[in-house]
């Protein structure tokens, strides 16, 4: 594989990884009212200051839109066919399936985070 083609594939992988990370952070921001206080209590962080996380509630729709947009773009980058790929060297066989698995795992986690406010009333 030529150096230019390898840089193109590596650049796409990095961009997809950054978009997945952006989607995860935006999902955590979107779930600050529900999931973040629960997670903090589970790891032992407590205090009355956690009530202040409700102030981020008006930002939730924007964070959800950012999450869905970043994950959609990352999914398009990860699941589209590779333009230039040398099958003999095995470069594509080792990088793309791994990134696909990472994307699917993160997308399922984000779906759980975004769906938590809908299913939370069932537990109390």
């Amino acid at each position: 594989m030529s150096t230019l083609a390898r840089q193109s594939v590596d650049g796409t992988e990095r961009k997809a990884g950054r978009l997945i990370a952006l989607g995860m952070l935006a999902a955590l921001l979107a779930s600050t009212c529900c999931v973040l206080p629960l997670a903090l209590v589970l790891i032992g962080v407590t205090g009355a200051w956690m009530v202040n996380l409700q102030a981020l509630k008006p930002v939730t729709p924007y964070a959800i839109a950012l999450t869905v947009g970043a994950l959609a773009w990352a999914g398009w980058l990860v699941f589209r066919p590779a333009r230039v790929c040398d099958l003999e060297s095995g470069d594509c066989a080792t990088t793309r399936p791994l990134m696909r698995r990472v994307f699917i795992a993160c997308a399922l986690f984000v779906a759980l985070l975004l769906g938590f406010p809908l299913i939370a009333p069932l537990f109390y």
Side-chain angles (χ1 to χ4, degrees):
M1 179 184 283
S2 70
T3 306
L4 182 60
R6 183 179 304 260
Q7 289 174 350
S8 173
V9 171
D10 289 343
T12 302
E13 296 288 327
R14 264 188 254 125
K15 186 183 288 186
R18 288 179 185 147
L19 286 169
I20 291 170
L22 176 66
M24 293 288 291
L25 290 174
L28 287 172
L29 178 66
S31 64
T32 54
C33 66
C34 308
V35 179
L36 189 60
L38 178 65
L40 289 173
V41 167
L42 287 175
I43 63 171
V45 178
T46 60
W49 63 270
M50 288 196 302
V51 173
N52 295 328
L53 292 174
Q54 284 288 356
L56 297 173
K57 188 125 176 112
V59 180
T60 300
Y62 301 111
I64 290 172
L66 180 64
T67 300
V68 171
L71 286 179
W73 191 7
W76 180 76
L77 288 174
V78 169
F79 287 105
R80 72 178 176 168
R83 291 185 185 153
V84 179
C85 190
D86 185 14
L87 294 177
E88 292 176 9
S89 68
D91 289 338
C92 294
T94 58
T95 57
R96 297 207 38 115
L98 176 64
M99 185 57 80
R100 287 178 181 163
R101 287 186 192 114
V102 168
F103 173 78
I104 290 172
C106 290
L108 289 174
F109 181 68
V110 166
L112 179 70
L113 282 176
L114 294 180
F116 187 79
L118 299 174
I119 61 171
L122 299 175
F123 295 108
Y124 54 88

